[in-house]
């Protein structure tokens, strides 16, 4: 097809999409992202903008071979609509630094807070402000360490006030009462923070900020108090007992700190298990995994932290290998399934893979060159408030190469399971032979991104793609070409990244073992889920066993899924089958069903696109 005919076809295709948005006739299109209400005015405006800017980016910015690879369904640049803005994906925010220095949101200066209530309120505002600077998520990598000083400030304030009138008490008694009052203050601050994360809006009102917090290893009294109250406030839930969707909470596991009995934060780990049993958060990350411990030098900044669905940022050719103040610049995913469907044999598959990895790397480089040509003044909060590492020296007209080269450029992939079925007849959960081939495929991808890092002196990494809208998009397009092939294209979705298919019956220990081996290859991000049945809050010991099994399997980041339902009539929270066991409400529209869609939670499954809804229905429980 000639370029002019293809351009006209793309224009026509985009106009049809705009009709579907205006008249809300294509649910999958308007709900590609379940964190955005695609039917709201701002959601519609955002979606219209998305389709128009994607067309502009493809026609005016991307190279012809890259555009062809996209049109032929081999690769998918994520957040292509944001390419023209030069935004980056995400950032690990140095919260302690921003709070201490103070910041300006554009309408006035916020000075350093004097207590934990103010500090956590400002932490919410920082999240909201920075969300508008990037197209992905935000994270606080050391939430407990960063906020502990403000717990101490609150304690000192309470102690000073008590000493002014409680002169009859000993200093020990005053300290005890001051800590009790501080405990109450910290709880209220945590409660407000969680409410803010679920009620503030960004990006023109289209969505709440996509935010994550990492914690669990600060053993100070102040840090422990913060984590305890954060978990307690999460357990209680929102105003009517709803499960908080944000922040994504990640409890950092570390031997010697919280892994076993008699370790200082073991009690917080147990509380974390109780909380995830009721609210699905926190997830768990493992500092001692073979690929995370190599970065650890004992300092909190060296603890590997994760963002959102799975993003991990550590390797750095241009500075310290620590995640604070850095993030992912962009990522692009490869359709492993289509490569398998068109390959003549295994040898041909690797030849095709080699070509499309090269195209993906080229596309990431072109996007990087576009990003670094933007000015620091285009992102007044991200660089003006020195969120990104090294931005302290930038002037408004400065370009961004020197700071952005510390970020990561990630190659992603989707559909390893279906690709293996196409190549061998079985996926990696069914056959050792298929597993070995699957491992070689992902290992080959890692070798290619490592080579790109050397060749271009940039931080290329491999990410296990968190596909939401893409899980169905790749599949629908392939079905039009190949039809419905059993075990490959006969479902509404492709399996995420290296995961064993959600519909395959497998023991939790085997799933953790198989998937865990891929985590070390995916240095740009990874996650493994275990699906549980029933009310897991009645068996916390079983959850402990699952978390420890993840650690044993060299998993870097994991989560436990289980049903969390809430009746909108009486407020009952638990498992609801056909009707609420408390008030007998059977109106599905009045029952909230909290489920994990990729790495984050969604309380209204009406916002899920059809591919992810189909995947959720087919998830089996792991024993």
């Amino acid at each position: 097809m000639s370029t002019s005919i293809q351009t006209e076809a793309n224009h026509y295709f985009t106009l049809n999409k705009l009709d579907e948005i205006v008249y809300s006739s294509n649910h999958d299109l308007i709900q590609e992202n379940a964190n955005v209400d695609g039917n709201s005015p701002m959601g519609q405006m955002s979606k219209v903008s998305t389709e128009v800017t994607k067309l502009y980016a493809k026609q005016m910015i991307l190279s012809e071979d890259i555009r062809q690879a996209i049109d032929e369904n081999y690769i998918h640049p994520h957040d292509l609509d944001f390419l023209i803005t030069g935004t980056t994906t995400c950032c690990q925010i140095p919260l302690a630094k921003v709070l201490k220095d103070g910041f300006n949101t554009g309408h006035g200066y916020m000075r350093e807070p004097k207590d934990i209530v103010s500090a956590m309120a400002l932490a919410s505002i920082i999240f909201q402000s920075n969300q508008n600077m990037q197209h992905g998520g935000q994270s606080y990598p050391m939430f407990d360490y960063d906020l502990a000083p403000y717990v101490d400030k609150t304690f000192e304030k309470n102690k000073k006030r008590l000493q002014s009138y409680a002169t009859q008490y000993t200093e020990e008694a005053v300290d005890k009462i001051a800590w009790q009052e501080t405990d109450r203050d910290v709880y209220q601050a945590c409660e407000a923070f969680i409410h803010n994360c679920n009620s503030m809006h960004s990006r023109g009102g289209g969505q709440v900020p996509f935010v994550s917090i990492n914690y669990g290893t600060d053993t100070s009294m102040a840090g422990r108090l913060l984590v305890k109250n954060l978990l307690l406030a999460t357990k209680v839930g929102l105003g009517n007992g709803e499960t908080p969707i944000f922040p994504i909470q990640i409890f950092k596991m570390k031997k010697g700190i919280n892994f076993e009995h008699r370790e200082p934060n073991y009690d917080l780990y147990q509380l974390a298990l109780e909380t995830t049993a009721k609210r699905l958060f926190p997830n768990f990350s493992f500092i001692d995994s073979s690929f995370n411990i190599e970065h650890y030098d004992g300092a909190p900044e060296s603890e590997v932290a994760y963002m959102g669905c799975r993003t991990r940022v550590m390797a750095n050719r241009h500075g310290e290998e620590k995640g604070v103040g850095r993030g992912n610049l962009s990522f692009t995913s490869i359709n492993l399934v289509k490569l398998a469907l068109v390959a003549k044999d295994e040898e041909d598959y690797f030849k095709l893979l080699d070509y499309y990895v090269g195209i993906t790397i080229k596309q990431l480089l072109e996007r990087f060159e576009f990003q670094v040509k933007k000015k620091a003044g285009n992102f007044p909060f991200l660089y003006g408030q020195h969120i990104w590492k090294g931005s302290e020296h930038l002037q408004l007209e400065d370009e961004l190469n020197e700071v952005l080269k510390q970020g990561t450029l990630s190659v992603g992939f989707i559909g390893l399971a279906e690709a293996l079925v196409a190549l061998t007849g079985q996926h990696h959960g069914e056959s050792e032979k298929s597993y070995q081939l699957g491992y070689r495929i992902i290992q080959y991808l890692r070798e290619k991104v490592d080579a790109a890092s050397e060749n271009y002196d940039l931080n290329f990494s491999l990410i296990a793609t968190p596909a939401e809208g893409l899980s169905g998009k790749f599949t629908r397009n392939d079905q039009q070409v190949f039809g419905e092939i059993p075990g490959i294209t006969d479902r509404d979705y492709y399996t995420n990244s290296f995961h064993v298919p959600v519909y395959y019956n497998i023991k939790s220990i085997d799933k953790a073992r198989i998937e865990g081996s891929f985590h070390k290859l995916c240095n740009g991000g990874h996650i493994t889920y275990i699906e549980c049945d029933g009310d897991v809050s009645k068996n916390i010991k079983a959850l402990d066993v699952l978390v420890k099994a993840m650690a044993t399997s060299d998993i870097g980041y994991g989560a436990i899924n289980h049903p969390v339902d809430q009746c909108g009539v009486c407020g009952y929270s638990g498992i609801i089958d056909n009707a609420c066991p408390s008030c007998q409400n059977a109106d599905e529209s009045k029952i909230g069903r909290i489920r994990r869609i990729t790495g984050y939670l969604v309380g209204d499954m009406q916002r899920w696109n059809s591919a992810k809804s189909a995947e959720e229905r087919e998830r089996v429980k792991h024993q």
Side-chain angles (χ1 to χ4, degrees):
M1 184 181 293
S2 71
T3 301
S4 61
I5 294 175
Q6 182 65 58
T7 299
E8 184 176 344
N10 285 335
H11 277 281
Y12 181 74
F13 183 63
T14 299
L15 286 174
N16 279 343
K17 281 191 169 185
L18 297 188
D19 278 341
E20 292 173 341
I21 296 167
V22 170
Y23 297 104
S24 300
S25 60
N26 185 338
H27 180 76
D28 286 350
L29 175 63
I30 63 178
Q31 290 301 162
E32 284 185 327
N33 184 341
N35 188 36
V36 178
D37 183 358
N39 288 303
S40 69
M42 292 300 104
Q44 279 196 320
M45 286 296 293
S46 175
K47 196 61 189 169
V48 167
S49 172
T50 289
E51 297 307 320
V52 173
T53 51
K54 279 197 296 188
L55 176 63
Y56 181 90
K58 286 178 67 175
Q59 296 301 324
M60 306 303 293
I61 300 177
L62 299 182
S63 296
E64 175 62 31
D65 52 351
I66 294 170
R67 185 162 59 244
Q68 182 177 350
I70 295 170
D71 289 339
E72 293 180 355
N73 211 41
Y74 286 108
I75 71 169
H76 176 84
H78 293 265
D79 301 290
L80 181 61
D81 49 325
F82 277 92
L83 189 155
I84 65 168
T85 68
T87 52
T88 56
T89 303
C90 53
C91 183
Q92 297 271 22
I93 299 174
L95 179 59
K97 175 178 176 293
V98 179
L99 288 177
K100 185 171 181 57
D101 294 347
F103 60 92
N104 190 329
T105 61
H107 303 287
Y109 182 77
M110 308 290 174
R111 63 178 180 270
E112 183 182 8
K114 292 182 169 55
D115 58 31
I116 190 60
V117 174
S118 298
M120 294 195 80
L122 292 181
S124 302
I125 294 170
I126 293 167
F127 263 153
Q128 184 179 34
S129 300
N130 201 54
Q131 182 78 66
N132 294 311
M133 300 290 105
Q134 305 200 219
H135 58 254
Q138 321 296 317
S139 176
Y140 291 137
M142 305 187 302
F143 199 61
D144 41 2
Y145 289 103
D146 288 348
L147 287 169
Y150 300 98
V151 175
D152 285 330
K153 286 177 182 288
T154 304
F155 166 75
E156 293 298 334
K157 181 189 292 186
N158 287 332
K159 181 178 179 179
K160 184 176 181 179
R161 176 179 49 79
L162 287 166
Q163 286 175 330
S164 69
Y165 61 81
T167 55
Q168 73 276 22
Y169 290 109
T170 64
E171 183 173 354
E172 182 180 355
V174 170
D175 282 354
K176 181 178 180 181
I177 297 171
W179 275 118
Q180 289 172 344
E181 293 191 359
T182 301
D183 193 7
R184 179 201 62 202
D185 294 337
V186 172
Y187 179 83
Q188 291 177 341
C190 291
E191 184 179 51
F193 176 77
I194 291 171
H195 278 71
N196 281 336
C197 286
N198 288 273
S199 59
M200 296 188 307
H201 282 81
S202 63
R203 295 178 182 162
Q207 65 183 114
V208 293
F210 193 105
V211 297
S212 311
I213 55 176
N214 295 258
Y215 56 76
T217 54
D218 185 350
T219 58
S220 70
M221 187 168 183
R224 284 174 42 77
L225 198 65
L226 179 86
V227 173
K228 182 195 78 170
N229 283 294
L230 185 68
L231 290 167
L232 291 175
T234 303
K235 279 183 70 176
V236 170
L238 302 177
N240 290 321
E242 302 95 336
T243 291
I245 304 303
F246 289 109
I248 295 170
Q249 298 185 38
I250 303 155
F251 190 92
K252 294 189 283 189
M253 300 292 295
K254 180 72 182 74
K255 292 178 181 177
I257 294 179
N258 52 32
F259 206 80
E260 300 290 352
H261 287 286
R262 293 181 294 279
E263 293 177 351
N265 283 2
Y266 183 75
D267 58 335
L268 295 180
Y269 165 56
Q270 293 301 305
L271 181 56
L273 290 174
E274 294 172 16
T275 306
T276 202
K278 185 171 184 180
R279 300 298 184 186
L280 286 165
F281 284 148
N283 302 337
F284 297 91
S285 66
F286 301 92
I287 296 171
D288 294 309
S289 63
S290 62
F291 44 88
N292 284 340
I293 196 64
E294 64 186 31
H295 298 283
Y296 183 69
D297 62 11
E301 295 84 357
S302 67
E303 297 175 354
V304 173
Y306 289 82
M307 278 185 282
C309 301
R310 67 203 64 200
T311 305
R312 175 184 182 272
V313 176
M314 289 304 292
N316 188 9
R317 302 176 66 86
H318 301 284
E320 291 183 303
E321 291 199 340
K322 296 174 181 177
V324 183
R326 302 169 57 224
N328 178 251
L329 304 179
S330 68
F331 70 104
T332 296
S333 293
I334 300 172
N335 183 352
L336 297 182
V337 189
K338 183 166 185 179
L339 297 182
L341 290 171
V342 300
K344 299 182 186 69
D345 51 34
E346 187 178 307
E347 182 181 356
D348 190 42
Y349 182 84
F350 278 93
K351 288 180 181 178
L352 288 168
L353 186 60
D354 184 76
Y355 174 77
Y356 284 103
V357 175
I359 287 290
T360 300
I361 289 169
K362 178 182 177 181
Q363 185 269 317
L364 291 168
L365 285 168
E366 287 188 1
R367 189 166 187 169
F368 174 75
E369 291 302 323
F370 190 89
Q371 288 170 316
V372 300
K373 294 299 182 185
K374 289 287 184 176
K375 311 290 188 184
N378 296 139
F379 307 90
F381 195 83
L382 185 63
Y383 305 121
Q385 304 308 308
H386 313 146
I387 304 297
W388 196 278
K389 192 177 184 67
S391 60
E392 295 87 351
H393 310 297
L394 291 177
Q395 302 299 312
L396 293 178
E397 293 300 311
D398 286 347
E399 293 183 352
L400 304 171
N401 184 76
E402 289 305 306
V403 293
L404 289 190
K405 68 183 183 182
Q406 295 200 65
T408 59
L409 296 163
S410 297
V411 174
F413 60 94
I414 189 172
L416 178 64
E418 289 80 9
L420 291 171
V421 174
L423 291 169
T424 71
Q426 293 179 303
H427 59 70
H428 52 312
E430 297 175 296
S431 159
E432 177 64 22
K433 178 182 177 182
S434 292
Y435 165 78
Q436 293 297 336
L437 175 57
Y439 191 87
R440 281 203 295 122
I441 290 170
I442 307 308
Q443 186 176 45
Y444 183 80
L445 287 173
R446 173 62 185 272
E447 290 169 356
K448 295 296 288 186
V449 300
D450 285 350
S453 296
E454 291 291 332
N455 292 339
Y456 301 106
D457 197 25
L458 291 169
N459 300 314
F460 280 91
S461 62
L462 182 66
I463 186 170
T465 292
E468 187 178 332
L470 180 59
S471 68
K473 175 182 175 292
F474 268 165
T475 312
R476 286 191 300 272
N477 291 343
D478 284 348
Q479 285 172 344
Q480 293 174 10
V481 177
F482 303 101
E484 294 191 6
I485 306 172
I488 304 172
T489 61
D490 58 340
R491 286 180 164 83
D492 290 335
Y493 59 92
Y494 287 151
T495 299
N496 262 3
S497 63
F498 54 68
H499 291 176
V500 173
V502 298
Y503 51 81
Y504 182 67
N505 281 299
I506 187 171
K507 292 182 179 180
S508 57
I509 190 71
D510 292 329
K511 187 175 192 288
R513 175 181 52 81
I514 291 171
E515 294 187 4
S517 65
F518 291 96
H519 279 230
K520 63 178 174 291
L521 299 178
C522 300
N523 60 333
H526 40 245
I527 195 167
T528 284
Y529 304 110
I530 300 296
E531 296 282 342
C532 294
D533 198 6
D535 187 355
V536 296
S537 65
K538 294 182 171 60
N539 195 352
I540 300 301
K541 288 185 178 179
L543 294 185
D544 178 47
V545 170
L546 290 177
V547 172
K548 298 294 176 58
M550 289 181 181
T552 302
S553 299
D554 206 25
I555 282 171
Y557 183 31
I560 297 169
N561 291 344
H562 55 88
V564 175
D565 303 325
Q566 183 171 22
C567 178
V569 175
C570 71
Y572 169 85
S573 181
I575 296 176
I576 301 176
D577 293 323
N578 297 320
C580 173
S582 177
C583 71
Q584 309 309 313
N585 166 46
D587 184 349
E588 186 64 28
S589 67
K590 296 180 180 178
I591 297 175
R593 300 192 184 277
I594 305 293
R595 300 293 185 270
R596 200 184 310 272
I597 188 165
T598 52
Y600 66 100
L601 307 183
V602 179
D604 181 3
M605 291 185 66
Q606 299 302 312
R607 291 191 185 182
W608 287 39
N609 61 59
S610 61
K612 295 306 292 185
S613 294
E615 186 223 81
E616 193 278 333
R617 287 193 301 271
E618 295 186 354
R619 294 175 185 174
V620 299
K621 309 304 180 184
H622 304 124
Q623 298 180 349

